[in-house]
Amino acid sequence: MRFTANMQQPDTLRAVLYGMSFLRKHCLIRITDGRFTLVSFKESLGQSATQIWTHLELADIFSEIQIGSLDNDHINMELNLDHFVRALKSCTSSSDTVKVKLAKRGRIPYLAVSVDSPSYTSIKQEIPIKVIRESVLEGIAEPTIPNPDVSLEIYRQVRSVLRICDRYRNLAKHITLTANRAGELRIAIQNDDVTVEATWTNLTLMLSCDSQDDDDDSQQQVDKETLYSVVVNADELFDTLRISYASRRIIFCISDRFTLMLHVLLAGLDDHSYVSYYIPSLTL
């Protein structure tokens, strides 16, 4: 198995890895068909666990790529996110050259990250990995969810949403998110001690494939005002939103009482590179 490449976007990749690491410490990296995919989940892959799927165009992140494996040139490895983030922190300037290479010491595989800088001697760090055969991953697939009932783009408001979630998670274990097609998003907590709600309006509605061409104005108005909601773990929502500093757009997609999906478009990359968080709605 062979993988060597120069990294073109170390800051972007480090930001993505760092954002993922708040929620999970280990991830699966899949290099297949021009894609660099990072998958992170709990022990269970069922709908009860939040999943993170990061899809990056391989050529957007790396150059001078060499790939070879007995699994049709597909490479799968598991590693600790904190180790990868720490290795990329050695890159401090745009003039630094970052190289990655799969290697072995004896029979133990690792990912070597080398940083060459004009200002200091080359730094090489070795990240322990677990190589996984393609056949083992046949049952792993991105979650299938219904078309969102409402999808709203959060742009300038993302920092205020993050602050509210940080405040609310200190008051309650669960947060309710409610949205409608009029561009309104509400975030609320309710327990025996406190009931609090924050509202954002005039958010951009993202059209989905289930949009209907209906000439009945009154029906359209009802659809716009209909509320859709999910209940999620407060800490997990906050940790998920920490990816916001690496994003240029975040789209909140709510499938009523089923799933909250956060679709994160990354700064410096086109729409083909993104992070998707799948957070199942809880039944309290």
Side-chain angles (χ1 to χ4, degrees):
M1 186 173 64
R2 181 178 74 257
F3 175 64
T4 62
N6 290 341
M7 193 175 294
Q8 299 186 118
Q9 297 273 3
D11 290 342
T12 298
L13 184 57
R14 182 178 62 192
V16 171
L17 296 171
Y18 185 61
M20 292 175 64
S21 69
F22 287 108
L23 205 59
R24 304 282 184 270
K25 291 303 179 185
H26 287 81
C27 84
L28 169 69
I29 294 179
R30 306 192 70 180
I31 304 173
T32 59
D33 303 323
R35 302 286 282 177
F36 189 82
T37 303
L38 301 101
V39 186
S40 188
F41 43 76
K42 289 184 178 179
E43 293 78 6
S44 168
L45 279 174
Q47 289 294 334
S48 60
T50 296
Q51 297 187 37
I52 312 170
W53 289 73
T54 299
H55 298 278
L56 304 173
E57 291 286 339
L58 194 62
D60 286 346
I61 303 296
F62 299 103
S63 64
E64 300 181 32
I65 305 165
Q66 297 182 35
I67 301 176
S69 81
L70 297 178
D71 283 326
N72 297 316
D73 292 339
H74 293 179
I75 295 176
N76 305 291
M77 67 185 106
E78 184 180 347
L79 52 71
N80 185 297
L81 287 167
D82 286 341
H83 295 167
F84 207 168
V85 171
R86 190 177 304 116
L88 293 180
K89 280 185 178 179
S90 302
C91 179
T92 59
S93 169
S94 59
S95 61
D96 292 351
T97 300
V98 183
K99 297 182 179 181
V100 294
K101 179 180 180 180
L102 282 178
K104 277 187 177 182
R105 180 172 288 106
R107 300 182 64 181
I108 300 175
Y110 62 89
L111 183 67
V113 180
S114 303
V115 180
D116 295 318
S117 173
S119 58
Y120 56 80
T121 306
S122 175
I123 297 175
K124 180 179 178 181
Q125 299 190 53
E126 299 176 355
I127 305 170
I129 64 169
K130 178 182 179 181
V131 176
I132 303 176
R133 292 189 62 84
E134 186 76 13
S135 58
V136 176
L137 304 177
E138 289 179 354
I140 295 181
E142 198 158 357
T144 300
I145 63 173
N147 284 330
D149 293 296
V150 59
S151 298
L152 298 177
E153 180 183 345
I154 309 296
Y155 178 49
R156 294 183 178 86
Q157 305 87 349
V158 67
R159 298 296 182 181
S160 62
V161 171
L162 184 63
R163 286 194 300 270
I164 288 295
C165 290
D166 189 21
R167 188 184 309 165
Y168 285 5
R169 73 191 182 108
N170 294 316
L171 301 173
K173 292 183 178 180
H174 304 103
I175 287 178
T176 300
L177 294 94
T178 304
N180 60 30
R181 297 181 183 179
E184 181 177 276
L185 173 68
R186 304 174 189 172
I187 296 181
I189 57 172
Q190 183 176 0
N191 56 35
D192 294 337
D193 300 319
V194 62
T195 298
V196 188
E197 179 179 278
T199 302
W200 292 262
T201 58
N202 299 318
L203 301 177
T204 300
L205 176 67
M206 307 300 293
L207 298 179
S208 61
C209 60
D210 63 343
S211 298
Q212 299 178 358
D213 295 325
D214 194 336
D215 294 330
D216 188 338
D217 291 340
S218 62
Q219 182 62 44
Q220 288 185 4
Q221 189 62 32
V222 169
D223 289 345
K224 286 184 178 180
E225 294 178 355
T226 300
L227 298 173
Y228 306 97
S229 65
V230 289
V231 179
V232 299
N233 180 281
D235 285 332
E236 284 208 348
L237 178 60
F238 175 74
D239 287 339
T240 298
L241 287 171
R242 294 200 197 196
I243 195 69
S244 61
Y245 70 90
S247 72
R248 54 185 172 86
R249 295 167 61 202
I250 296 181
I251 302 170
F252 279 63
C253 305
I254 293 178
S255 297
D256 191 43
R257 293 177 291 179
F258 189 78
T259 302
L260 169 66
M261 183 184 79
L262 295 186
H263 186 68
V264 183
L265 299 175
L266 300 167
L269 300 178
D270 64 23
D271 290 358
H272 293 100
S273 295
Y274 56 89
V275 183
S276 292
Y277 290 82
Y278 296 89
I279 308 175
S281 184
L282 304 173
T283 302
L284 303 180

